[in-house]
Amino acid sequence: MSFAAEKVDPAVHHSQTDLADLDAAVSRANDALVSEQRHDGHFAFDLEADAAIPSEYILVKHFLGELDPEMERKTGNYLRRRQEQHGGWPMLAAGEMNISASVKAYLALKAAGDAVDAPHMVRAREAILKAGGAVNVNVFTKTTLALFGIVPWRAVPVMPVEIMHAPGWFPFHIYRLSYWARDTLVPLLVLMALKPRAKNPRNLSIDELFIVPPHEVRRWPKTVNQVGVWGAAFAALDKVLHWVEPLFPKKTRATAIDKAVAFVTERLNGEDGLGAIYPSIANTLMMFKVLGMPDSHPDVITARSALEKLVAHNGDEAFCQPCLSPVWDTVLSAHAMMEAQPETMREVERALDWLKPLQVLDVKGDWAYQRPDLRPGGWAFQYRNPHYVDLDDTAVVVLAMDRVRSKTGTRRFDESIARAREWVLGMQSANGGWAAFDVDNTSYYLNHIPFADHGALLDPPTADVTARCVSMLAQLGERPATSAPLQRAIAYLLDEQHPEGSWFGRWGLNYVYGTWSVLCCFNAVDLSPDHPAIRRAVAWLETIQNQDGGWGEDDRSYALDYKGFSAAPSTASQTSWAVMGLMAAGEIDSPAVRRGIAYLAANQSADGLWDEERYTATGFPRVFYLRYMGYAKFFPLWAMARYRNMKVGNTSHVLHGM
């Protein structure tokens, strides 16, 4: 009986046939992954979010007065395919309708020329009205509608551009925000101050999506974060600002706009764009145009190039990606290939040689506001984003480089590793954890301002990123007995464990991702597999395994009133995380691990890869999710190859930090 076909009696001892079948499956997956390596050594897979960003891409063009029939047609095809049976558009595949994404998709399709009486538009309209109508969209969507004159500006919370003048001690300061909020907000402040009207060549309106005509609405719904003392205080302040903002001195406003433009221009970042993320890139382009800069201006050309670089074409469809993920895709592919083909490092070294010069050694990014004396040394997530390198990518790149160094004896990564280690150590937050981009970014009261209805203004330390940094430091030789940073980090992680045994996953869905990350780092620091925290985590992972042998978890696990694990159909990537977490905890002979590997083998496609329609990654919990097209390509390969290697090597101890 083949390994892939075995579904029952998982405790049966492996036969040579089982391992041979598994080795063949690993080889097919590795060959398929290697075939996607670019000529210069890197990997880059598409990154898909919900319908909002492709819809906004069309709307930005209409704001600028630029019609692009072919792109509208192809993006329209994509949006129509993504519409769910309930009539609306969800935050993630097969999910419940999201009112904001649905309103944007409806408006974008209308912009693309779809008739309002077309069946799919009728279904969308009925679903939106059933949900209370477009009055219930989030703040960013209301801002888009205000720019088109569809709703009045009083529907949008006030964010005065004079914030740019705020001193560092002020309760609201741009460096108190996360990088993504900062870069999105600064150009948006200019738009909100000038309140321009979109060119809107097709005179778009969506009054039919409102139960009460939008300009007659007197009390717009409160944002979900306007609760408690902070929520009430900020709501009152917003009312005052609506009255007094028009009275702000013109000179002060003009200098604040100048500061915002200077901030953006300094970080323009070539064809990768401000922050290398869609919202800030789109806002930058609109800001430049509103300020009267001609199409021929170099900054306008740059911003436009950055926007177009995000568009993914797939036959007769196209969609705008939230960002590009080549560093993340490349380094995770390298880890999977190292596991799959330990006898050769050719493709891995090509990937790491591509990554090496992308290390930022000469730019002190926004993180330096908190750490001005720290030398830079990190990697960004995207092709280029020097002001916003991140801890997660940096740690994972170093883990790969160190592993190649140990395997081959090469010294060419020594300086890269040393500089990254120095930077990571310097970025530890006061509570012992690490965040993604910043240090001590914990002004939690800001998540209660009316503008922050997405609840994602901040970048506080999280268990998954902390675990990655601990894994890196431990693989480089640090041990808790002699390392104060590790002692503090481990204490933080132990304190962060959920009562049921899991850890929160900020950047992956969700507790399965976080638990895998922490179990890997506990293995790396030689925490005993018998430690109570590890035993609780193992028991939790075994408890939530699906009947088919895989693991799955959906976005409901991010609920603020979390009451327990939220099961979902198994996916290849989440199964891989669970299996690798269990192996890191010493459970190589566990029936749960064997069933998980059998699930992966049984669900491998003929091309050697895995199909994964469900979203398993997180942009912002509860409001924005991601589908990395590469996750189902490298994570299952990594898990299956590690299992094979450990069984063949007759060891129960994972030798690497990740």
Side-chain angles (χ1 to χ4, degrees), residues 340-353:
Q341 50 176 12
E343 71 284 352
T344 176
M345 289 286 177
R346 184 177 60 256
E347 287 84 5
V348 173
E349 290 195 76
R350 288 182 61 224
L352 297 187
D353 285 338

Side-chain angles (χ1 to χ4, degrees), residues 147-457:
L147 289 169
F148 276 80
I150 292 171
V151 305
W153 279 100
R154 67 173 181 273
V156 182
V158 176
M159 288 292 281
V161 71
E162 286 78 6
I163 289 166
M164 297 302 301
H165 291 313
W169 54 262
F170 195 68
F172 193 104
H173 186 270
I174 60 170
Y175 286 103
R176 292 184 184 271
L177 307 178
S178 63
Y179 119 69
W180 56 84
R182 186 183 316 134
D183 277 14
T184 298
L185 180 61
V186 171
L188 184 58
L189 289 174
V190 178
L191 295 173
M192 295 177 76
L194 299 177
K195 296 180 174 55
R197 180 66 69 91
K199 294 290 182 65
N200 196 6
R202 291 185 177 144
N203 296 314
L204 300 172
S205 66
I206 49 170
D207 284 4
E208 67 270 22
L209 299 186
F210 288 86
I211 295 173
V212 175
H215 287 271
E216 295 179 13
V217 176
R218 289 290 171 262
R219 182 168 296 180
W220 290 83
K222 287 185 177 181
T223 60
V224 295
N225 55 335
Q226 287 178 258
V227 296
V229 174
W230 281 116
F234 283 125
L237 177 60
D238 185 61
K239 288 183 179 179
V240 173
L241 285 172
H242 270 287
W243 282 100
V244 303
E245 188 199 18
L247 305 177
F248 287 172
K250 291 182 179 180
K251 184 176 181 180
T252 303
R253 170 144 295 190
T255 55
I257 289 174
D258 288 343
K259 283 186 177 181
V261 174
F263 176 94
V264 170
T265 303
E266 179 186 347
R267 296 160 177 78
L268 201 53
N269 192 30
E271 67 174 12
D272 292 288
L274 175 64
I277 53 176
Y278 168 82
S280 56
I281 292 169
N283 290 344
T284 295
L285 180 57
M286 290 190 291
M287 179 191 76
F288 284 160
K289 294 297 291 181
V290 167
L291 292 173
M293 295 170 63
D295 289 342
S296 59
H297 192 288
D299 289 348
V300 175
I301 294 172
T302 296
R304 189 182 301 278
S305 297
L307 180 65
E308 299 304 331
K309 189 174 180 177
L310 294 175
V311 176
H313 296 269
N314 183 15
D316 210 34
E317 291 186 354
F319 68 94
C320 187
Q321 302 172 88
C323 64
L324 304 178
S325 54
V327 171
W328 191 238
D329 291 337
T330 299
V331 70
L332 291 175
S333 295
H335 277 281
M337 291 188 299
M338 274 190 279
E339 207 73 47
Q341 50 176 12
E343 71 284 352
T344 176
M345 289 286 177
R346 184 177 60 256
E347 287 84 5
V348 173
E349 290 195 76
R350 288 182 61 224
L352 297 187
D353 285 338
W354 180 82
L355 286 166
K356 186 177 184 294
L358 297 185
Q359 186 177 24
V360 178
L361 302 172
D362 57 349
V363 176
K364 285 192 173 184
D366 285 11
W367 53 266
Y369 185 81
Q370 291 282 14
R371 292 290 186 270
D373 298 324
L374 181 63
R375 291 199 301 172
W379 277 265
F381 180 78
Q382 303 91 347
Y383 285 101
R384 175 177 166 80
N385 198 11
H387 279 82
Y388 305 106
V389 294
D390 73 275
L391 278 302
D392 212 357
D393 279 272
T394 299
V396 178
V397 171
V398 170
L399 284 163
M401 286 182 167
D402 178 68
R403 190 169 172 183
V404 168
R405 179 172 65 175
S406 298
K407 172 74 174 178
T408 67
T410 182
R411 313 311 303 178
R412 69 183 185 279
F413 300 128
D414 286 5
E415 179 60 23
S416 298
I417 292 171
R419 285 291 295 270
R421 179 180 188 166
E422 175 186 336
W423 183 71
V424 169
L425 283 169
M427 291 291 288
Q428 189 172 24
S429 288
N431 65 0
W434 277 271
F437 300 91
D438 282 299
V439 180
D440 296 323
N441 194 251
T442 54
S443 298
Y444 291 108
Y445 58 86
L446 291 177
N447 276 333
H448 293 284
I449 66 174
F451 186 81
D453 62 346
H454 57 329
L457 279 186

Side-chain angles (χ1 to χ4, degrees), residues 57-68 72 148 197-202 286 289 295 304:
Y57 173 84
I58 291 178
L59 297 176
V60 166
K61 295 296 187 70
H62 280 249
F63 177 91
L64 301 172
E66 301 170 359
L67 300 182
D68 187 344
E72 290 174 6
F148 276 80
R197 180 66 69 91
K199 294 290 182 65
N200 196 6
R202 291 185 177 144
M286 290 190 291
K289 294 297 291 181
D295 289 342
R304 189 182 301 278

Side-chain angles (χ1 to χ4, degrees), residues 50 90-92 96-98 138 224-225 447 452-457 504-506 509-511 554-562 617-626:
D50 57 48
M91 288 186 291
L92 65 177
E96 299 176 356
M97 187 190 82
N98 177 264
N138 62 24
V224 295
N225 55 335
N447 276 333
D453 62 346
H454 57 329
L457 279 186
F504 181 82
R506 165 62 180 83
L509 259 171
N510 169 358
Y511 290 95
D554 68 22
D555 62 305
R556 288 174 294 180
S557 64
Y558 282 116
L560 292 175
D561 60 343
Y562 177 72
T618 310
F620 309 127
R622 295 175 295 280
V623 295
F624 186 63
Y625 299 99
L626 301 167

Side-chain angles (χ1 to χ4, degrees), residues 9-80:
D9 195 16
V12 172
H13 179 71
H14 280 297
S15 68
Q16 290 301 316
T17 302
D18 292 337
L19 292 176
D21 288 345
L22 181 58
D23 190 59
V26 168
S27 294
R28 289 197 307 274
N30 186 68
D31 289 346
L33 179 61
V34 169
S35 71
E36 302 212 32
Q37 190 169 23
R38 308 288 179 95
H39 68 90
D40 58 2
H42 88 284
F43 292 81
F45 303 107
D46 288 347
L47 180 57
E48 188 176 32
D50 57 48
I53 288 178
S55 301
E56 288 176 16
Y57 173 84
I58 291 178
L59 297 176
V60 166
K61 295 296 187 70
H62 280 249
F63 177 91
L64 301 172
E66 301 170 359
L67 300 182
D68 187 344
E70 180 60 12
M71 276 302 301
E72 290 174 6
R73 185 187 68 80
K74 295 177 72 172
T75 304
N77 290 340
Y78 172 82
L79 291 173
R80 291 182 210 101

